[in-house]
């Protein structure tokens, strides 16, 4: 699952958990097997109809049946000495390049229909197949990934993903019925007395939002959290004080997202973003500035560690 809170500048977040699906027939590279969908497709909607399909009825047993969690797949590969980190770095690379390839088209549509870049976000579902050489290949990108929860494992992963996605995008809890009732009462009172002072209504509304947030916090998935932004080191803040306001604002948003929703790992912008700038059709100043900012942050954080290592070696 990939979240795109913004296309200008480009921001990509990858959900650390996901689903691994397996075909229900052993693969054979023969032309006589080309019509066997159970062999060549991993879709749940297809394979669940096969007699060999094994369902998963226990969310905690995430390495059983024909649908696993990504965490279970990583464990399986690690036990067999596979280069798991390399495989998933390649998947990160595939996702980033795919998002960049559609950036001009998406951005032109957004500019034609959206007044502000914060008006929307996109949740994408990447279907990736891993071959026998552990090379990932992109099968398709779903603009509307299935959120159906047909199994306990589906429910566990998808509900947590959505909860943390709303946190990532800074959604506020909202009770439509409660708000409608409040507006109805407020309208009635305003007809009689032309209402309470404006500042009092604002205070009352803030109190309602805070109360609803506290109630929702207890009912949401345990992974849902509201965490204050983590401020970078003073040296980094001083260095970034000269950045344009837009760049500073996006850096602050990224810091807040990293703190509030750590399960959504930021792919772009990052310290390695310079390697991808050449793939954009058009150089976006904000993308370039953010790539430089994160590279500087990386070097600033790395310098003390290297200096400490040199002192230890000398001592």
């Amino acid at each position: 699952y990939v979240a795109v809170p913004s296309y200008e500048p480009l921001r990509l977040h990858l959900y650390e958990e996901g689903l691994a699906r397996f075909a229900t027939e052993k693969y054979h590279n023969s032309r006589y097997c080309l019509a066997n969908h159970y062999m060549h497709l991993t879709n749940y909607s297809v394979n669940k109809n096969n007699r060999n399909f094994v369902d998963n009825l226990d969310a905690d047993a995430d390495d059983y049946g024909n649908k696993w969690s990504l965490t279970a797949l990583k464990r399986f590969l690690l036990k067999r000495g596979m280069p798991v980190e390399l495989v998933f770095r390649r998947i990160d690379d595939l996702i980033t390049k795919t998002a960049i390839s559609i950036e001009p088209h998406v951005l032109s549509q957004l500019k034609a229909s959206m007044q502000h870049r914060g008006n929307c976000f996109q949740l994408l579902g990447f279907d990736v197949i891993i071959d026998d050489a552990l090379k990932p290949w992109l099968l398709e990108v779903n603009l509307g990934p299935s959120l159906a929860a047909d199994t306990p494992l589906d429910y566990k992963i998808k509900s947590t993903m959505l909860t943390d996605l709303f946190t990532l995008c800074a959604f506020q809890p909202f009770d439509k019925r409660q708000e409608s009732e409040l507006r109805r009462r407020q309208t009635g009172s305003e007809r009689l007395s032309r209402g309470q002072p404006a500042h009092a209504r604002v205070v009352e509304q803030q109190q309602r939002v805070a109360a609803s947030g506290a109630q929702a916090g207890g009912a949401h998935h345990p992974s849902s959290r509201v965490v204050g932004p983590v401020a970078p080191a003073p040296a980094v803040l001083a260095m970034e004080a000269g950045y344009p306001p837009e760049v500073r604002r996006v850096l602050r948003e990224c810091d807040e997202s990293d703190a509030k929703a750590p399960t959504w790992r930021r792919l772009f912008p990052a310290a390695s973003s310079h390697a991808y700038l050449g793939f954009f059709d058009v150089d976006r100043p904000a993308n370039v500035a953010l790539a430089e900012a994160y590279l500087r942050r990386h070097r600033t954080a790395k310098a003390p560690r290297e200096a400490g290592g040199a002192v230890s070696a000398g001592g």
Side-chain angles (χ1 to χ4, degrees), residues 7 40 42 96 133 203 292:
Y7 270 96
H40 297 283
T42 61
T96 304
V203 170
E292 293 176 353

Side-chain angles (χ1 to χ4, degrees), residues 1-15 91-103 106 122-124 126 141 165 168 250 254 257-258 261 263-270 273 276 280 287 290 294:
Y1 298 104
V2 176
V4 191
S6 167
Y7 270 96
E8 188 179 17
L10 182 63
R11 285 179 57 198
L12 299 174
H13 294 260
L14 173 66
Y15 192 60
I91 293 177
D92 291 352
D93 179 71
L94 177 153
I95 290 170
T96 304
K97 289 177 178 175
T98 301
I100 291 173
S101 71
I102 63 171
E103 185 250 14
V106 174
Q122 181 71 59
L123 174 65
L124 303 173
F126 276 72
V141 181
L165 175 64
L168 174 75
V250 177
C254 289
S257 298
D258 293 345
T263 53
W264 282 95
R265 179 165 53 86
R266 177 170 37 80
L267 292 182
F268 196 99
S273 294
Y276 295 97
F280 285 88
N287 289 334
L290 287 167
Y294 276 104

Side-chain angles (χ1 to χ4, degrees), residues 76-296:
F76 178 86
L77 295 175
L78 275 173
K79 286 181 180 178
R80 284 151 182 80
M82 302 295 184
V84 174
E85 186 177 347
L86 174 62
V87 172
F88 282 86
R89 274 208 314 267
R90 288 173 173 171
I91 293 177
D92 291 352
D93 179 71
L94 177 153
I95 290 170
T96 304
K97 289 177 178 175
T98 301
I100 291 173
S101 71
I102 63 171
E103 185 250 14
H105 173 73
V106 174
L107 202 52
S108 65
Q109 296 298 315
L110 285 175
K111 288 182 176 179
S113 57
M114 303 303 296
Q115 297 297 319
H116 187 267
R117 69 173 185 83
N119 285 5
C120 63
F121 69 94
Q122 181 71 59
L123 174 65
L124 303 173
F126 276 72
D127 284 352
V128 178
I129 191 167
I130 303 174
D131 66 16
D132 57 352
L134 296 181
K135 180 179 179 180
W137 297 83
L138 179 65
L139 291 179
E140 65 176 356
V141 181
N142 295 292
L143 292 177
S146 172
L147 299 177
D150 297 313
T151 68
L153 184 62
D154 279 325
Y155 183 83
K156 178 181 179 180
I157 291 176
K158 294 179 181 180
S159 62
T160 308
M161 180 272 294
L162 284 174
T163 301
D164 289 349
L165 175 64
F166 294 151
T167 303
L168 174 75
C169 297
F171 276 89
Q172 294 292 331
F174 179 78
D175 188 325
K176 185 176 180 179
R177 287 177 297 182
Q178 183 182 26
E179 189 69 19
S180 297
E181 176 63 19
L182 178 73
R183 288 180 179 176
R184 187 185 65 78
R185 293 201 309 267
Q186 199 170 46
T187 301
S189 64
E190 286 177 351
R191 284 175 181 170
L192 295 175
S193 61
R194 295 323 258 162
Q196 61 196 115
H199 73 275
R201 290 199 301 272
V202 171
V203 170
E204 181 183 347
Q205 185 177 11
Q206 290 174 341
Q207 291 172 342
R208 287 199 322 276
V209 171
S212 63
Q215 294 169 1
H220 279 181
H221 195 278
S223 68
S224 178
R225 60 184 69 77
V226 179
V227 182
V230 176
V236 174
L237 288 174
M239 179 179 61
E240 294 175 356
Y243 290 167
E246 174 68 9
V247 174
R248 294 202 307 271
R249 183 177 60 76
V250 177
L251 282 170
R252 185 175 67 252
E253 289 178 358
C254 289
D255 290 339
E256 291 173 354
S257 298
D258 293 345
K260 291 185 300 184
T263 53
W264 282 95
R265 179 165 53 86
R266 177 170 37 80
L267 292 182
F268 196 99
S272 60
S273 294
H274 266 288
Y276 295 97
L277 295 179
F279 293 103
F280 285 88
D281 281 357
V282 178
D283 288 336
R284 312 284 180 192
N287 289 334
V288 176
L290 287 167
E292 293 176 353
Y294 276 104
L295 184 59
R296 287 180 181 177

